[in-house]
Amino acid sequence: MSNLHLSDNEFFEEYKRLDRLCGDMYSCKNGVSEYISQMESKSYQGRYRVSSWDSDYKMLKHVRWVRNQIAHDSGTYQFSDPDDLAFVQDFYHRIFSGQDSLTLLRKSIDAAAERQKQRKKQQATKSDIQSASYSYAPPKKKS
């Protein structure tokens, strides 16, 4: 890796930073790969609930490929481009701000569950009110 192009070197360092963050999140060695794996296992829901799901998934796979090319190449070619670096940096910050795909999916699922819980609570309250009004009988007057 001694002959790395400057931009490949910067990309590689930023990728390692993202990989460590993801690795810490999942307590594993290959954090970006685990993040991708988590996305794959939740892709059915993620695609419909998170607008950036597909593009994040494709870019994560792409930047992992770029990282692997840099790590295993002799340094003759430049593999990364400025968009790759920008994505890795942006995704790192999105994780910290809770705006990454998996966090957005979890928030969406939690919000849907909360809405469902509120609907059930409202239905139960409405049902209790209706039951009470039907079972009410005014006291009889004494003559």
Side-chain angles (χ1 to χ4, degrees):
M1 263 185 24
S2 58
N3 294 334
L4 276 182
H5 294 270
L6 187 58
S7 60
D8 278 351
N9 188 44
E10 186 178 4
F11 169 85
F12 198 81
E13 292 304 314
E14 290 294 324
Y15 182 92
K16 287 192 321 189
R17 185 172 153 224
L18 174 62
D19 197 48
R20 280 191 305 271
L21 175 62
C22 293
D24 289 347
M25 287 171 28
Y26 296 110
S27 301
C28 67
K29 183 179 174 187
N30 297 315
V32 172
S33 292
E34 181 58 29
Y35 194 100
I36 291 168
S37 178
Q38 293 292 318
M39 286 187 80
E40 289 171 345
S41 72
K42 296 168 176 59
S43 67
Y44 182 76
Q45 287 183 315
R47 296 176 116 172
Y48 297 103
R49 293 180 181 260
V50 179
S51 62
S52 62
W53 188 271
D54 285 333
S55 60
D56 284 344
Y57 176 73
K58 288 174 186 173
M59 279 303 293
L60 284 168
K61 289 192 68 130
H62 170 72
V63 296
R64 183 181 61 181
W65 177 86
V66 169
R67 179 260 174 224
N68 289 339
Q69 297 306 307
I70 294 168
H72 301 292
D73 187 63
S74 62
T76 9
Y77 301 104
Q78 175 154 343
F79 290 99
S80 68
D81 65 39
D83 290 340
D84 299 333
L85 176 61
F87 174 81
V88 169
Q89 291 170 332
D90 179 63
F91 201 76
Y92 181 90
H93 293 292
R94 286 173 49 207
I95 288 174
F96 265 110
S97 65
Q99 297 301 309
D100 62 286
S101 293
L102 288 172
T103 302
L104 292 174
L105 175 60
R106 182 185 46 78
K107 288 177 180 179
S108 174
I109 290 169
D110 290 350
E114 184 60 32
R115 285 190 302 274
Q116 181 71 15
K117 183 178 167 183
Q118 290 299 322
R119 273 195 293 269
K120 285 183 178 181
K121 186 176 177 182
Q122 288 172 346
Q123 289 172 347
T125 303
K126 187 177 180 180
S127 177
D128 290 346
I129 291 170
Q130 288 174 344
S131 297
S133 65
Y134 291 127
S135 63
Y136 175 75
K140 295 182 181 178
K141 292 184 180 180
K142 293 183 181 179
S143 32

